[in-house]
């Protein structure tokens, strides 16, 4: 059973407290990407788009 610390007193959590903690955790939004992660993802997407555009401009319409 998880423990909780209130004002320096540690005790086991009640079933209601555990349920409340799990409900709050389920409602939390997903962690946001850092600026560096977003830039890296955009650069990767950009590279794929450039490659697809080059293939289309060269006349290739299907993957080989």
């Amino acid at each position: 059973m998880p423990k909780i610390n209130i004002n320096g007193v540690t005790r086991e959590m009640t079933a209601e407290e555990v349920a409340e903690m799990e409900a709050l955790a389920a409602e939390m939004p997903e962690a946001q990407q850092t600026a560096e992660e977003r830039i890296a993802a955009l650069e990767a997407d950009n590279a794929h788009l450039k490659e697809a555009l080059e293939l289309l401009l060269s006349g290739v319409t299907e993957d080989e």
Side-chain angles (χ1 to χ4, degrees):
M1 183 71 83
K3 296 186 185 272
I4 190 169
N5 185 320
I6 300 175
N7 295 328
V9 178
T10 303
R11 63 173 174 78
E12 292 201 9
M13 296 174 74
T14 65
E16 293 83 16
E17 290 171 329
V18 172
E20 181 180 354
M21 181 183 66
E22 289 172 350
L24 289 173
E27 291 176 6
M28 291 185 67
E30 291 185 24
Q32 297 292 322
Q33 293 178 325
T34 65
E36 291 80 13
E37 291 171 332
R38 288 194 310 268
I39 290 170
L42 289 170
E43 288 175 343
D45 289 344
N46 194 31
H48 289 118
L49 291 171
K50 282 183 180 180
E51 181 181 355
L53 187 56
E54 288 172 1
L55 289 172
L56 287 172
L57 291 174
S58 68
V60 178
T61 57
E62 293 183 14
D63 289 335
E64 296 178 15

